[in-house]
Amino acid sequence: MVQLVVALESTIISHGMPYPQNVETALKVEQIIRDNGAVPATIAILNGRLKVGMTHEEIEYLGKAGQAVIKTSRRDIPFIVAQKADGATTVASTMILAAMAGIKVFATGGIGGVHRGAQQTFDISADLQELANTDVAVVCAGAKSILDIGLTLEYLETQGVPVIGYQTDMLPAFYTRESDFHVDYRLDEPKQIAAAMTAKWQMGLKGGMVIANPIPAQYALDKTMIDQVIKDAVAEMNEKGISGKASTPFLLSKVAEKTAGSSLAANIELVFNNAKLASKIACEFCQ
Ligand code: PSU
Ligand code: MN
């Protein structure tokens, strides 16, 4: 049954983490999903073919190619397909391909959102619009503070996308368990989350949900340290004039560099944690 499948994105592999940790993480995430009673499907476009479920060799190939693979969001899909090219799917395009295959649950690290300074740049990830339109629940570790978390929540509210806190009242901020913002609904059991998904889609209310799962306490980073690192990375990005689809990968790699890898270790652990929760939700949704 496709409901038992948990979708996984591939931009996190190609653009979100360095090789070889990206491949090791991608393979271990798949194993964690199996160990928790569900079936993993890592999603990408290879040779212009939509892939929902990849072999280990394909994951290794994408991970090694890294940023040479085209980061593929909604707008890019037709071109990658028509040109028979390879594309690493973002949260937005992974949701699209998952929905085509009938998959309802998707685990990742962090979603895109409204960027800091969006008042001027208009940089708002296509992930948010996808969450408004496509019926897939996305388990993530909240919104990373490379984004403007407050504006991201406002955008999601306008689009009717619920933000659920798993066992938390406060929205996690990726590397830290909390931000200054509340979630819309706190749910403590995977069963309750699955029930909300069923209610939403049985009524025909289109769109996804954000399920925010805090990073396990032992892997969380110091808030003051990470806030400063992100501030510096954003300043450097603006100085260099980096914008558009290059912004998020630039910020992710800068943050990893400036924390001497401690952010990467945290990133890996939170993805594992999200895969586990997504599997439990998929199992409950199946019932
Ligand atoms: N946030 C992370 N890690 C990631 C991404 C975001 O912590 O790897 C990736 C996801 O694939 C997400 C994409 O969909 O970046 C968002 O890019 P943009 O902001 O250009 O929409
Ligand atoms: Mn953007």
Side-chain angles (χ1 to χ4, degrees), residues 207-223:
M209 290 185 190
V210 175
I211 297 151
N213 185 27
I215 183 171
Q218 66 268 40
Y219 303 113
L221 299 183
D222 179 68
K223 186 177 181 318

Side-chain angles (χ1 to χ4, degrees), residues 227-242:
D227 283 352
Q228 189 58 48
V229 164
I230 287 171
K231 235 174 135 183
D232 294 346
V234 171
E236 190 175 335
M237 180 183 80
N238 292 335
E239 267 164 41
K240 291 192 161 142
I242 293 167

